Amino acid sequence: MNTNPRRPDQPVDHQELAELLPAPGRPVLRRDRHRVLREHLMEHIGNSDKTVHERSGTTSTSPAPRARRRLVLIAAPLALAAVVGVGAVAVDAVRDDGKGGATGVGGTTAEHRQAEHRQAEHRQAAQLLDRIAVVAADRPAVTVRDDQFIYTKSRGSSAVWGGPTKPVRDAKGDVTGTKTYKGTVQSDEWQPVTGRTDGLRRLTALTPDDGFTPSRKQDITMAPGAGYLTFRELQALPTDPDALLRKLESGNGVVKSRLTETVFENVGAILDQATLLPDLSAALYRAVAKLPDVRVVKNVKDGAGRTGIGLTYTNRGDSSKTTKGYWVFDANSLAYLGTDRSALLDVAVTDDKGKVTAVGAS
């Protein structure tokens, strides 16, 4: 029971009332905001006390017990703290998606970060391809007659060309099968400009010191229309990057689910001869820059072991995988060196098939 009742005319002791407030557990407001709210609450309680006494009349001689007011003072701050706490929880809930990823203000999901990383990789590749295109466009154009051949010399693993091979004979001299050489091979090709005559591919096995092995040499006839574009067909391709990309994407055998891979592979198949066509070569690189998932690979080697900077694409189904190899460029001159499987050593125009008498060399 309260043994020290306050008279109606006694002023309210705000300091005493403030001491009845519970200590805050986790501050969620600034100290000055707490002070303003506390003073407002004290004023509100003081006004309520005055109203109660006015309603009870001036003849009352029994002051209201202070214990009840203490209960009100204790409950009010707790209610205020509960409301503020709910607001804090709500804000925290916005910042956390419940899965360890921030989705609210100032945060990005793991998917967004991955997308931003892929976009950064593509920008890097597009910038490199533009520089390569400038270099390619600066090469001198070559005049070619219909009766000539495009000569290319390449080097790489025998697995690239599937040879050279030689027949295996039994004791009677009958052919019982073939044996394929496994090791480093040089490929010399002569492809007719118009495709109206046969071409020639000569595969020669190389020794560890890059010497030739005459006994391991094979000549292969390349029939017209044997799955490759002739030089005249390359000249007919558009040199506008957008038009060229549409042409490449609408070609036979292009699968939409493998669009990037197919276009990348098809362009790689014609880069050797395209080096003799500066405008087309530049357009090819700028068209590839428009493909998604193309990226740069540093410190790679071509089929001859030359180190350079590479370009490749990532598999859409699994971005951690890189498939189908990459193109290699000289890190300084940005000249095309070939691929990780086959190095381009020379490209030129010749008059005779089977002879290395270049008229216009790379």
Side-chain angles (χ1 to χ4, degrees):
M1 185 177 203
N2 191 347
T3 61
N4 187 25
R6 181 179 61 81
R7 296 189 308 275
D9 58 345
Q10 182 179 349
V12 176
D13 187 352
H14 288 186
Q15 180 63 30
E16 179 185 357
L17 294 177
E19 291 175 356
L20 298 177
L21 292 170
R26 177 190 176 193
V28 293
L29 294 175
R30 299 193 306 272
R31 183 172 296 176
D32 58 338
R33 292 295 300 155
H34 272 295
R35 179 177 56 78
V36 172
L37 289 175
R38 184 177 64 187
E39 291 176 356
H40 178 75
L41 183 61
M42 296 301 101
E43 181 181 358
H44 175 74
I45 293 172
N47 292 336
S48 298
D49 178 71
K50 181 178 179 181
T51 303
V52 169
H53 283 286
E54 289 176 353
R55 289 179 179 178
S56 62
T58 58
T59 58
S60 174
T61 59
S62 301
R66 296 180 65 182
R68 177 174 299 175
R69 185 170 298 147
R70 287 180 181 179
L71 178 61
V72 173
L73 292 176
I74 294 173
L78 290 177
L80 176 62
V83 172
V84 175
V86 170
V89 172
V91 172
D92 288 343
V94 172
R95 294 180 181 274
D96 195 337
D97 62 1
K99 299 179 182 178
T103 59
V105 178
T108 58
T109 63
E111 291 79 5
H112 290 163
R113 289 194 296 271
Q114 184 179 16
E116 290 174 354
H117 177 68
R118 292 173 63 178
Q119 291 173 358
E121 284 189 329
H122 185 265
R123 283 195 298 269
Q124 182 186 27
Q127 292 170 358
L128 176 61
L129 282 163
D130 184 67
R131 293 169 55 202
I132 293 172
V134 171
V135 172
D138 196 45
R139 289 174 57 88
V142 177
T143 301
V144 182
R145 301 193 312 268
D146 285 348
D147 62 339
Q148 292 180 309
F149 296 84
I150 306 300
Y151 167 74
T152 57
K153 179 169 69 174
S154 306
R155 183 173 298 181
S157 170
S158 57
V160 176
W161 297 281
T165 62
K166 66 177 183 179
V168 176
R169 303 178 183 274
D170 59 15
K172 298 180 179 180
D174 297 329
V175 177
T176 59
T178 58
K179 183 178 181 180
T180 302
Y181 171 77
K182 294 182 180 180
T184 304
V185 172
Q186 177 172 306
S187 172
D188 297 280
E189 293 187 10
W190 293 264
Q191 295 187 14
V193 170
T194 61
R196 297 173 184 171
T197 59
D198 291 341
L200 174 66
R201 174 182 294 161
R202 177 170 295 160
L203 301 177
T204 306
L206 299 178
T207 62
D209 59 352
D210 291 340
F212 289 101
T213 306
S215 61
R216 293 292 184 91
K217 183 172 65 174
Q218 180 183 14
D219 283 357
I220 304 172
T221 299
M222 303 174 66
Y228 62 90
L229 294 178
T230 67
F231 192 77
R232 291 293 186 235
E233 289 172 332
L234 292 179
Q235 288 179 313
L237 290 175
T239 55
D240 174 75
D242 292 318
L244 179 58
L245 184 58
R246 288 193 297 269
K247 181 74 172 180
L248 295 170
E249 291 177 341
S250 62
N252 294 331
V254 176
V255 181
K256 294 301 181 182
S257 61
R258 296 186 64 251
L259 184 61
T260 303
E261 294 91 328
T262 305
V263 173
F264 196 88
E265 292 169 2
N266 290 346
V267 171
I270 62 178
L271 281 181
D272 291 2
Q273 291 195 31
T275 57
L276 298 177
L277 300 169
D279 292 341
L280 175 63
S281 184
L284 286 170
Y285 293 127
R286 291 194 169 104
V288 170
K290 299 176 182 294
L291 295 173
D293 298 329
V294 178
R295 64 186 184 90
V296 177
V297 184
K298 297 181 179 179
N299 298 321
V300 296
K301 295 183 182 296
D302 67 4
R306 297 176 296 183
T307 302
I309 187 168
L311 277 167
T312 187
Y313 60 85
T314 52
N315 189 298
R316 277 186 174 273
D318 187 347
S319 59
S320 67
K321 293 183 179 179
T322 300
T323 57
K324 302 298 183 184
Y326 41 81
W327 306 337
V328 185
F329 301 85
D330 185 275
N332 296 319
S333 68
L334 297 182
Y336 177 64
L337 300 181
T339 71
D340 57 319
R341 303 182 66 209
S342 172
L344 178 64
L345 304 181
D346 193 12
V347 56
V349 179
T350 64
D351 291 330
D352 301 307
K353 177 174 60 178
K355 297 181 180 179
V356 185
T357 53
V359 176
S362 64

